[in-house]
Amino acid sequence: MERFINTILIGISGGSIYGLMALALVLVWRSTRVVNFAQAGQAILSTYIGYVVISHTNNYWLAFPVAVISGALIGALVDILLIRIMVKRAHQGPVAAIAPVIATLGLLGLIRAVVGLIWGGDLRQFKLPVTNHGFTFGHTTIPFAPINLLIVVITFLVMLIFALIFQRTNLGLALRASAYQPEIARLSGIRVDLTRTIGWAFAGSAGAIAGILVTPTNYLAPNSLDLLLVSGFVAAVIGGLESLVGAAVGGLILGIGLAFVLEYVSSSLAFPAAFMVLIAVLLVKPAGLIGSKRSRNA
Amino acid sequence: MLRKNGGRNQLRANLIFIAIGIVLFLVSNRVDELRVYQGATVAVYVVAISSIILLTGYSGQISLGHGALMAVGGYAAVLSRNDWHAPVWLSFVVAVLAAALFGAILGVAAGRLSGPYLAGTTLALAVGLPSLANQFSVLGGEQGLNYDVGQPPLSLGQDFTQYHWYFWIAGLAALVMTWLVHNVLGSRYGRNWRAARSNPTAAALAGIHIGRSKILAFTISAGIAGLAGALLAMTLSLVTPSAFPLALSFAIVTGAVLAGVTLLTGSIVGAVVLVAIPELTDALATHLGGSERVTANLPGLMMSALLIVSVLFFPNGPRLFRR
């Protein structure tokens, strides 16, 4: 029983990170119909910026907002400099259908190369904001540590803030309207392009939070978030790729599922398990567990 | 797009392939070892890129995971050669079959997925599959497994080096594969793929089974990628998980996009660019007096920049090759 609860706790902590990455992918997909493979690059760039702040000030809590803000700025820049041109130019011909994939892939490579040029390829360690030594009750120490609790709490707060923005503010209404019916949103006076850029900025900050939260428990390298991108994508697909709640739920399902495979089956099966889950969801319930039917085609 | 005098075109194409082959083999005897090795790498890329051109340019599906399929082919070739002592040509056949089988299973899922879903799924494969080799001792872990295609036959002369031998094998494989793909694309299947890509509804009404046609394209493309993997293993003389990184999957997609994904003859252009970029950036980095950091990242920078520029400004491929 104790082992069972420990596994669930670790799964929730891991799943929170997947959920944040899924949120970043979903925000962009809703507004632009692009699965943003460059999200791993954007997140790693903002994490490196956070790393610079940490190595100068030795303060994680200063690095956190800096990384989040640079993530948002990077996201907005990507939309303005790349995606707008791509949407305008590459809309016909044999490449049109895959142009978004190619463009974001190219951007991922570009950002990764720039990061490598500036900071080099060696693995770096992050200072832990709180300890990764598990909580102790009486004589037993569980694997779930304050750092995991921190990840879960921050993720919960981020999700809450996004939910409030989307459900309770005019900006959120504009974001939802531009994603749902861009033409009609434009007719009713919403500046759709600007709104979309804000959506990209939100996505960029969500990705940056995922990056700067997961890195202290791991290491930092130009490609250290690649697996997170894949897990985030799987989580987003489980959640239907359209819904913010779906992203969070998808992240948790994947996180807990993987934690159980790792704990009870074998640590070498994490990737095949995640891949099987992805294929199974796509074949059995392609619209995701939470999601509308129309999400598949586009 | 019905071709009149298709027979004559066919004959001309075949003659061109043979002529290219003869020229390449003659040239290979006159240049230094490094160029020969690069020539072999170009041939490997030609095979890999033609698999993407078939899949993306004709069937309209995208794969970011062909590096993983190449890994399947590479490992299959090596295992069959080391464990069953298969002759080299047979290990290539095994590579094609293994990757095609894998591709068929994947294609069943892929055939039902549209663009970004397929891209994400294959990306997951590219990230995760090669590292699986670390977890099974039969696959040799991080050190990988050796792959020995043997010495060149003595009848080719004393100064016929190992790299020449690689180049001959890879070059012949690339020519044969290009010729085969050329014929498949011109066949009923090629037409079906193009019809299904440009207008699925009309194609389905005309009696084309869209799903089956997509799975077939994915299977064939995977088989070709498997051959490319076996050839790559040959030029490296071993297979390791790190020989099939995510960057390899990206590189062959880049090569296909640079070649203008719908033109098979572009595959040679894309392949040459892929081999030339590291060479150029190396020269540039030395010229700038760059550190190891610059040399390591400049090729990626150039390649990604080229990819973005070509998809933004030449979405239909370089004007030079457009028909």
Side-chain angles (χ1 to χ4, degrees):
Chain A
M1 191 59 204
E2 190 187 307
R3 192 181 173 199
F4 183 83
I5 292 172
N6 282 339
T7 312
I8 287 194
L9 285 174
I10 290 297
I12 290 175
S13 157
S16 304
I17 303 279
Y18 305 154
L20 279 173
M21 199 59 172
L23 183 69
L25 295 175
V26 165
L27 281 170
V28 164
W29 172 256
R30 276 165 54 119
S31 67
T32 325
R33 296 284 134 184
V34 169
V35 172
N36 183 16
F37 292 109
Q39 188 57 253
Q42 294 169 228
I44 202 78
L45 183 55
S46 23
T47 310
Y48 266 99
I49 293 173
Y51 170 79
V52 170
V53 175
I54 289 190
S55 49
H56 279 285
T57 64
N58 209 19
N59 186 345
Y60 183 86
W61 296 113
L62 197 62
F64 191 89
V66 171
V68 174
I69 291 167
S70 28
L73 289 178
I74 296 165
L77 275 180
V78 169
D79 181 47
I80 292 169
L81 296 180
L82 179 69
I83 303 300
R84 282 190 189 177
I85 304 178
M86 185 208 72
V87 171
K88 209 184 297 170
R89 292 195 60 105
H91 51 77
Q92 55 178 3
V95 190
I98 60 161
V101 175
I102 303 287
T104 55
L105 204 61
L107 184 65
L108 175 61
L110 194 71
I111 296 180
R112 198 188 278 172
V114 169
V115 166
L117 273 176
I118 301 177
W119 286 285
D122 19 315
L123 311 185
R124 290 157 195 268
Q125 283 290 329
F126 240 50
K127 176 181 172 281
L128 286 164
V130 291
T131 176
N132 61 352
H133 193 75
F135 286 108
T136 309
F137 298 102
H139 293 293
T140 48
T141 304
I142 61 169
F144 191 80
I147 180 82
N148 302 103
L149 184 64
L150 183 77
I151 289 173
V152 175
V153 170
I154 291 186
T155 305
F156 180 75
L157 288 178
V158 170
M159 297 282 183
L160 195 67
I161 292 170
F162 272 115
L164 286 177
I165 291 175
F166 269 87
Q167 299 301 332
R168 292 289 154 84
T169 64
N170 283 336
L171 176 62
L173 191 62
L175 279 163
R176 282 188 288 149
S178 336
Y180 189 64
Q181 285 286 353
E183 281 306 311
I184 295 175
R186 191 168 279 130
L187 286 177
S188 49
I190 294 172
R191 295 171 65 185
V192 173
D193 282 350
L194 179 69
T195 314
R196 197 165 68 194
T197 305
I198 295 175
W200 275 78
F202 279 157
S205 60
I209 296 172
I212 198 141
L213 275 183
V214 77
T215 303
T217 62
N218 199 353
Y219 60 87
L220 185 63
N223 61 356
S224 60
L225 294 184
D226 285 359
L227 265 177
L228 180 59
L229 176 72
V230 171
S231 320
F233 177 77
V234 177
V237 168
I238 295 176
L241 212 51
E242 285 276 342
S243 121
L244 302 185
V245 181
V249 174
L252 286 181
I253 292 177
L254 183 67
I256 295 173
L258 284 189
F260 271 95
V261 173
L262 289 177
E263 176 68 25
Y264 287 91
V265 189
S266 153
S267 64
S268 61
L269 287 178
F271 168 73
F275 192 73
M276 287 302 152
V277 169
L278 176 64
I279 296 284
V281 170
L282 285 173
L283 289 183
V284 178
K285 204 155 178 345
L289 302 182
I290 303 171
S292 57
K293 274 182 205 142
R294 65 183 184 96
S295 61
R296 293 284 317 301
N297 316 311
Chain B
M1 280 215 297
L2 271 177
R3 284 243 192 91
K4 286 175 189 162
N5 60 28
R8 198 183 302 162
N9 266 345
Q10 195 62 51
L11 182 67
R12 204 181 58 188
N14 290 350
L15 285 177
I16 289 176
F17 280 124
I18 294 170
I20 292 176
I22 294 172
V23 169
L24 279 180
F25 287 149
L26 288 178
V27 167
S28 80
N29 290 328
R30 307 230 170 265
V31 294
D32 64 90
E33 281 292 274
L34 176 65
R35 297 282 173 254
V36 173
Y37 184 72
Q38 286 174 334
T41 316
V42 167
V44 174
Y45 279 134
V46 164
V47 177
I49 290 174
S50 62
S51 76
I52 296 282
I53 288 179
L54 186 150
L55 185 71
T56 304
Y58 282 76
S59 172
Q61 307 179 78
I62 189 165
S63 166
L64 307 181
H66 263 46
L69 292 169
M70 286 173 73
V72 171
Y75 274 97
V78 171
L79 286 179
S80 66
R81 179 129 178 97
N82 290 355
D83 293 358
W84 308 333
H85 307 289
V88 177
W89 65 268
L90 188 61
S91 72
F92 286 169
V93 173
V94 171
V96 171
L97 293 180
L101 178 70
F102 198 83
I105 298 169
L106 201 61
V108 172
R112 297 173 54 175
L113 303 180
S114 59
Y117 285 89
L118 185 54
T121 309
T122 49
L123 176 77
L125 196 67
V127 170
L129 191 75
S131 66
L132 263 189
N134 288 336
Q135 285 147 11
F136 298 98
S137 56
V138 65
L139 299 178
E142 200 67 61
Q143 277 78 43
L145 300 165
N146 287 321
Y147 185 46
D148 185 11
V149 295
Q151 304 286 320
L154 281 175
S155 54
L156 289 168
Q158 284 295 329
D159 49 351
F160 192 87
T161 62
Q162 192 73 35
Y163 284 164
H164 274 86
W165 187 227
Y166 289 164
F167 175 76
W168 278 44
I169 296 179
L172 185 66
L175 274 174
V176 170
M177 218 11 116
T178 308
W179 178 76
L180 278 176
V181 173
H182 177 84
N183 283 337
V184 169
L185 293 183
S187 74
R188 183 158 64 92
Y189 301 107
R191 287 197 301 277
N192 286 357
W193 291 332
R194 268 183 294 166
R197 184 199 70 197
S198 20
N199 193 335
T201 319
L205 282 175
I208 298 172
H209 193 300
I210 304 283
R212 220 175 283 159
S213 137
K214 280 185 165 177
I215 295 172
L216 181 69
F218 211 99
T219 309
I220 295 179
S221 171
I224 302 169
L227 177 68
L231 293 172
L232 182 68
M234 174 190 75
T235 60
L236 299 172
S237 65
L238 83 170
V239 281
T240 62
S242 58
F244 305 94
L246 190 55
L248 177 67
S249 300
F250 289 1
I252 56 182
V253 172
T254 307
V257 171
L258 291 180
V261 288
T262 49
L263 214 52
L264 190 58
T265 41
S267 67
I268 181 86
V269 180
V272 169
V273 172
L274 286 187
V275 174
I277 283 181
E279 183 86 347
L280 286 176
T281 52
D282 266 9
L284 190 65
T286 344
H287 183 70
L288 296 171
S291 56
E292 179 258 344
R293 197 179 280 184
V294 178
T295 2
N297 289 297
L298 217 48
L301 192 71
M302 286 266 288
M303 203 115 81
S304 318
L306 258 179
L307 186 60
I308 294 178
V309 167
S310 66
V311 82
L312 286 188
F313 300 105
F314 309 101
N316 297 314
R319 199 154 296 167
L320 193 60
F321 313 111
R322 209 180 297 161
R323 276 188 283 200

